[in-house]
Amino acid sequence: MKGRGCWETASVRSFCSSRCLNKFKKDDSGDDDEESASPADKSELHNTIKNLSLKLDDLSTCNDLIAKHGAALQRSLSELDGLRIPWESSEKLKAVNERATLFRITSNAMINACRDFLELAETHSRKWQRALQYEQEQRVHLEETIEQLAKQHNSLERAFRSAPGRAANPSKSFSEGSLLTPKGEDSEEDEDTEYFDAMEDSTSFITVITEAKDDRKAEGGTSGPTDWTSSDNVLDGASLVPKDPPKVKRRVRIPDKPNYSLNLWSIMKNCIGRELSKIPMPVNFNEPLSMLQRLTEDLEYHHLLDKAVHCSSSVEQMCLVAAFSVSSYSTTVHRIAKPFNPMLGETFELDRLDEMGLRSLCEQVSHHPPAAAHYVFSKNGWSLWQEITISSKFRGKYLSIMPLGAIHLEFQASGNHYVWRKSTSTVHNIIVGKLWIDQTGDIEIVNHKTKDRCQLKFLPYSYFSKEVARKVTGVVSDGQGKAHYVLSGSWDEQMECAKIVQSSPSSPSLDGKQKTVYQTLPAKLLWKKYPLPENAENMYYFSELALTLNEHEEGVAPTDSRLRPDQRLMEKGHWDEANTEKQRLEEKQRLSRRRRLEACSRGCGSEDAEKEADTYMPLWFEKRLDPLTGEMACVYKGGYWEAKEKQDWHMCPNIF
């Protein structure tokens, strides 16, 4: 019996010191120079090892108890062995004593094995980290491969369109065609337009900064050096106008955005190629502002136009107008959510004569296609009006938003009348990756009194370009085509202007192209974006002005966007109720259209009745022929502010 017990004891001890276990540990220990895992992965591994350590402590406590009780048992057996008992009983006591000793050794071996397991788990953590790192690298590689395939797909489409066998569309110069494109015309070229990464710097000029009193004249120069004049001082600090404390206390925050998850692809996969305004969308994709309020946000940097009123030079005034046109995109860099589509007849007023020196009114004048008319009057000597139709297409990889319509700006004192159009906005990574927005295309601003022009170019983001992201460049020229200022900056941060003192052609490049070299004075800051409010990332990235646009105000028209119930519910964080209310409003609008269709069908044919039903008579705007663009556009006909003063809204439709 004693020999068998000793053999079992030796077997257990040999298992605890087994070379196989040590070899297994050594083989899986891995290299010491593996890449480190992410903090989240390290935290998870640390928690796992911590839990194992706690379990090991529990086992150690049990082992101590077993050892204590085992020792007591052995003492008791030894005492029995000392008594005078028969020989058979003595042999049985020895056997029990050996088994108790073996049990204690086995429990110690179990504790040692658990400790070895813990060490093995710590060693395996390196292997797990390497495996996790490998999976992360594979994911990044897959995303890069998908991006590369998308670029190759775009290149093939571009090569196919430029193939010799295909008929090329006659191109128009931007200066001639930008103001004469029929509004609302949805051509096949627009349907199929793709947006490609710029492979190189697409600016057509080179800028060289010189000193103000540099009288050197470049070879072949077309203009001599010119110093800054006193009239240019109006540009100094144009964007640095301090914000006066508001005379009316406005709110500075809204409820934080709820964290609701939604499967975007499950909704968008059936919407490829469709007009975005015709797709029923839950409020999860929206921000608690309407398109009319987003249009009003363009006035955030109205002080640029207030400054431009005092310019004695029209080209200098053009610089400030160009900076104002670029500033309207600064709020879009983080604003990837969709504003609410206004109901037909919905309005939005911004009555800030005391705070901003202006009054603004928007009205939704068409539902399909969605179109909004906007009029702004400033007591500082300028007025702005526009009718914007939003054409948007979801193309699977990205979302294109194309504003159609001309923007008019007139200064009463000088009579300078500026006209321009908005650029195309593109939302990328609709399906995979992080959403981001880009502005692309050209904008031409024309002063129809003096024929001054400003050509602005929004450079598309490129993986390969060395240029800064969201770059904007431009040149301001007078009516004779002579360049006076170079504009540069980014549409999300700031714009600068530099006065041109000399220009000359550059040497032809290898491909035969020739750029103009502009020697300029040091640049002056025209506009700089205001910093976002604190906690803006949880408030839809709203600016200070945007936070106040949906604030409740007394005396507004019953059709005002502030009174829209689904938008108000979403702002408060009640998204489920907002979705229900949104469906009710949309059904009410469809019912109103059916009633108009039935009323029109009694007096005319079905096709004429459908056209008549879609024709809405705006309440505060009317259709007129624009003599500068040759288009029919809605312009303000008056009466709104008089109705507000009298609080007489009997003519307003019940749309909410």
Side-chain angles (χ1 to χ4, degrees), residues 99-144:
R99 289 179 180 175
T101 302
L102 181 63
F103 177 75
R104 186 177 64 179
I105 294 173
T106 304
S107 66
N108 289 332
M110 181 183 67
I111 296 297
N112 292 332
C114 291
R115 184 174 288 107
D116 291 338
F117 173 75
L118 179 61
E119 293 176 359
L120 186 63
E122 292 176 345
T123 304
H124 267 285
S125 67
R126 299 177 180 177
K127 184 177 179 180
W128 297 340
Q129 291 173 9
R130 289 199 304 274
L132 181 62
Q133 184 70 22
Y134 174 76
E135 292 297 331
Q136 291 175 342
E137 291 174 354
Q138 289 294 104
R139 179 178 178 180
V140 172
H141 178 69
L142 178 60
E143 291 179 353
E144 292 175 351

Side-chain angles (χ1 to χ4, degrees), residues 127 165 252 486 568:
K127 184 177 179 180
V252 294
V486 170
R568 181 65 63 186

Side-chain angles (χ1 to χ4, degrees), residues 284-335:
N284 304 57
F285 296 111
N286 288 71
E287 62 179 16
L289 289 179
S290 74
M291 190 62 206
L292 303 181
Q293 291 165 315
R294 282 292 293 268
L295 204 59
T296 307
E297 270 192 82
D298 291 356
L299 302 174
E300 181 158 15
Y301 299 95
H302 62 92
H303 68 268
L304 293 171
L305 301 183
D306 297 340
K307 196 85 172 178
V309 171
H310 305 289
C311 291
S312 58
S313 167
S314 61
V315 289
E316 180 184 326
Q317 188 179 70
M318 175 69 83
C319 293
L320 291 168
V321 173
F324 173 79
S325 69
V326 174
S327 70
S328 63
Y329 300 99
S330 63
T331 61
T332 66
V333 62
H334 300 296
R335 303 271 291 279

Side-chain angles (χ1 to χ4, degrees), residues 177-187 190-191 195 275 291 295 329 365 369-374 385-393 400-408 420-425 623 629 631-634:
S178 61
L179 297 178
L180 300 178
T181 304
K183 186 171 75 76
E185 180 180 346
D186 202 1
S187 64
D190 290 334
E191 288 285 331
Y195 301 94
E275 177 70 30
M291 190 62 206
L295 204 59
Y329 300 99
V365 297
H374 185 202
W385 65 95
Q386 60 182 320
E387 181 186 349
I388 297 295
T389 301
I390 301 296
S391 177
S392 53
K393 290 291 184 180
S400 300
I401 303 171
M402 296 155 285
L404 307 175
I407 304 172
H408 294 257
W420 71 92
R421 298 176 187 267
K422 287 183 173 289
S423 67
T424 297
S425 301
K623 285 278 187 182
T629 65
E631 303 170 359
M632 294 297 295
C634 285

Side-chain angles (χ1 to χ4, degrees), residues 439-504:
Q439 309 292 341
T440 57
D442 295 339
I443 293 181
E444 183 182 55
I445 307 175
V446 180
N447 182 345
H448 283 269
K449 179 183 178 182
T450 63
K451 305 306 178 184
D452 298 341
R453 293 176 183 269
C454 176
Q455 300 281 352
L456 290 174
K457 181 178 288 291
F458 289 70
L459 275 64
Y461 173 77
S462 170
Y463 295 101
F464 310 105
S465 177
K466 297 180 181 179
E467 298 289 353
V468 296
R470 310 177 188 96
K471 183 176 181 180
V472 182
T473 62
V475 176
V476 175
S477 306
D478 60 20
Q480 287 72 41
K482 179 183 177 182
H484 288 263
Y485 290 94
V486 170
L487 305 179
S488 62
S490 59
W491 52 264
D492 67 322
E493 285 295 336
Q494 65 180 38
M495 287 295 294
E496 297 176 337
C497 74
K499 190 167 186 177
I500 299 173
V501 296
Q502 198 162 267
S503 63
S504 60

Side-chain angles (χ1 to χ4, degrees), residues 414-431:
S414 63
N416 289 333
H417 189 152
Y418 298 87
V419 180
W420 71 92
R421 298 176 187 267
K422 287 183 173 289
S423 67
T424 297
S425 301
T426 307
V427 182
H428 296 270
N429 291 344
I430 294 293
I431 304 302

Side-chain angles (χ1 to χ4, degrees), residues 103-233:
F103 177 75
R104 186 177 64 179
I105 294 173
T106 304
S107 66
N108 289 332
M110 181 183 67
I111 296 297
N112 292 332
C114 291
R115 184 174 288 107
D116 291 338
F117 173 75
L118 179 61
E119 293 176 359
L120 186 63
E122 292 176 345
T123 304
H124 267 285
S125 67
R126 299 177 180 177
K127 184 177 179 180
W128 297 340
Q129 291 173 9
R130 289 199 304 274
L132 181 62
Q133 184 70 22
Y134 174 76
E135 292 297 331
Q136 291 175 342
E137 291 174 354
Q138 289 294 104
R139 179 178 178 180
V140 172
H141 178 69
L142 178 60
E143 291 179 353
E144 292 175 351
T145 303
I146 292 174
E147 291 174 355
Q148 188 65 27
L149 286 174
K151 295 172 191 173
Q152 293 176 358
H153 173 69
N154 288 340
S155 300
L156 288 173
E157 287 182 345
R158 181 166 50 181
F160 174 72
R161 290 195 185 97
S162 60
R166 290 176 58 86
N169 292 327
S171 60
K172 294 182 179 180
S173 67
F174 181 76
S175 60
E176 295 178 357
S178 61
L179 297 178
L180 300 178
T181 304
K183 186 171 75 76
E185 180 180 346
D186 202 1
S187 64
E188 182 179 355
E189 183 179 358
D190 290 334
E191 288 285 331
D192 297 332
T193 299
E194 295 280 355
Y195 301 94
F196 307 104
D197 289 330
M199 302 301 292
E200 60 181 13
D201 184 7
S202 57
T203 55
S204 58
F205 58 87
I206 302 172
T207 304
V208 178
I209 299 177
T210 186
E211 296 298 328
K213 296 183 178 181
D214 187 357
D215 293 332
R216 290 176 297 175
K217 188 170 183 179
E219 183 178 356
T222 58
S223 61
T226 307
D227 290 342
W228 288 99
T229 62
S230 59
S231 63
D232 295 311
N233 293 333

